[in-house]
């Protein structure tokens, strides 16, 4: 008997989602509660579990389709044997006879498909096409062994480092050769729901808020020395590395306590001041930048902050962040330094009023006590909504953070 698989409740105020990828092919065995599909909502990817054990049946919708909560998206045959869906599915996804493995299905020339690409997320598929990597030759490190974008990039780098290896990408949509020789390739990919939402929110922030950014630089010597001195005992005691983010989170809490407007939001003609710090930490996920929330950071230890951030980073990589993980947030820290950024003007995450941008650490000559010395320096940027925060308040908040990082003892004595 065929059982319908329906879109589950996605979270408060979320009524629809987009089919991101199918995790099971028609005819494959499915366990009860095993994920069969991934949905992309405005904020996160949500996996749809099978309601029963059986075999994957028909796809009732396709990748990229928009579906509402409660809509049927597929069927599961809960009886023994292959489902009826296997017979009607495309040949590339039909189950192979037990006596022999199924032959690989080659992509049609010029259509941009990758063999088996139905099991790849859009970002992974783009990476496969861009780097010319055979996905079957790469071992996935994602959830349930699925291929991630990082796996493809690593395989491409290894291929490039191999003498004589070809790095040409498969044809996507070859245009006629130009007079200069060679093909000019293009690929058209529909924006994911997450990317569309990011675009709308960022543009809305620019159009609504009175955005301004103030900068400062910070000498990282003291924090680097503290990490070097205590990293081993810290890791041994707490089973987590001591990173920079916990120092900046603590420094931000000091600043937000002294300058509450930086930790506020506007609602109509009122300003709501938060007496707590729910810190949105921007992390990179396969489908884009996401900002899970570490709650009540003002009352957390260094180890608790590091563990929370590491946990969110792992969930983001696996595509396992939930709507609850993403909701709320009173202040954001975004670390572009991990990607090599020297300086930027981050955009606030509405309805928050400010965001702290961190950047790479460079050794630079600075004047200290009348002498030119080389110090590890970082530029910090605080973007803020000038409707709520005055320039004096923004500069003061950033200066408090700078002073706390340059003299970490301030973090211990709340100064």
């Amino acid at each position: 008997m065929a059982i319908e698989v329906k879109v589950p409740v996605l979270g408060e105020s979320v009524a629809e989602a987009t089919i991101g990828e199918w995790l099971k092919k028609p005819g494959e065995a499915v366990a009860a509660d095993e994920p069969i599909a991934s949905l992309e909502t405005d904020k996160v990817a949500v996996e749809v579990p099978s309601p029963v054990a059986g075999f994957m049946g028909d796809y009732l919708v396709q990748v990229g389709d928009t579906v509402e909560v409660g809509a049927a998206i597929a069927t599961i045959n809960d009886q023994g044997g292959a489902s009826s869906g296997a017979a009607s599915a495309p040949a590339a996804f039909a189950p192979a006879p037990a006596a022999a493995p199924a032959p690989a299905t080659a992509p049609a020339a010029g259509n941009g498909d990758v063999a088996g690409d139905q099991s790849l997320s859009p970002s992974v598929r783009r990476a496969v096409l861009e780097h010319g990597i055979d996905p079957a030759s790469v071992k996935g490190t994602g959830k349930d062994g699925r291929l991630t974008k990082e796996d493809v990039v690593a395989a491409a780098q290894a291929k490039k480092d191999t003498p004589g290896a070809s790095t040409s990408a498969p044809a996507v949509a070859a245009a006629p050769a130009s007079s200069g020789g060679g093909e000019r390739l293009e690929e058209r990919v529909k924006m994911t729901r997450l990317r569309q939402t990011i675009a709308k929110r960022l543009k809305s922030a620019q159009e609504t808020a009175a955005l301004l950014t103030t900068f400062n630089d910070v000498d990282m010597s003291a924090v680097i020395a503290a990490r070097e001195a205590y990293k081993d005992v810290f890791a041994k005691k707490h089973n987590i590395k001591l990173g920079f983010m916990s120092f900046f989170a603590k420094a931000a809490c000091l600043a937000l306590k002294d300058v509450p407007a930086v930790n506020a939001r506007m609602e109509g003609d009122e300003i709501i001041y938060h007496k707590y710090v729910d810190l949105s930490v921007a992390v990179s996920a396969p489908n884009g930048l996401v900002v899970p929330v570490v709650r009540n950071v003002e009352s957390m230890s260094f180890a608790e902050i590091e563990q929370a951030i590491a946990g969110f980073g792992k969930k983001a990589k696996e595509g396992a962040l939930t709507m609850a993980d993403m909701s709320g947030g009173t202040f954001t820290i975004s670390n572009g330094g991990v990607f090599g950024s020297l300086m930027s003007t981050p955009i606030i995450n509405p309805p928050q009023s400010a965001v702290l941008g961190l950047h790479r650490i460079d050794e630079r000559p600075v004047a200290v006590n009348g002498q030119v010395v080389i110090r590890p320096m970082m530029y910090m940027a605080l973007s803020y909504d000038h409707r709520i925060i005055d320039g004096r308040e923004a500069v003061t908040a950033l200066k408090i953070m700078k002073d706390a990082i340059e003299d970490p003892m301030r973090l211990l004595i709340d100064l």
Side-chain angles (χ1 to χ4, degrees), residues 175-199:
S178 66
S179 58
E183 292 179 331
R184 292 159 54 82
L185 306 180
E186 293 182 351
E187 179 188 7
R188 187 183 298 271
V189 179
K190 184 176 180 180
M191 293 173 66
T192 65
R193 177 175 289 271
L194 176 60
R195 175 51 57 186
Q196 292 179 50
T197 300
I198 291 172

Side-chain angles (χ1 to χ4, degrees), residues 334-344 357-361 378:
S334 178
N335 186 7
V338 297
F339 305 110
S341 172
L342 174 66
M343 187 180 293
S344 66
L358 306 181
H359 303 92
R360 74 172 188 246
I361 301 171
M378 174 198 288

Side-chain angles (χ1 to χ4, degrees), residues 144-178:
D144 298 328
R146 295 204 295 273
L147 207 61
T148 68
K149 182 179 179 181
E150 290 74 15
D151 296 330
V152 176
V153 173
Q157 186 61 47
K159 184 176 180 181
K160 186 184 299 183
D161 294 341
T162 302
S166 172
T167 58
S168 60
V172 178
S178 66

Side-chain angles (χ1 to χ4, degrees), residues 57 73 80 164 202 226 268 292 306 330 351 365 387:
I73 61 172
L202 293 180
E306 293 291 354
T330 63
R387 297 177 303 168

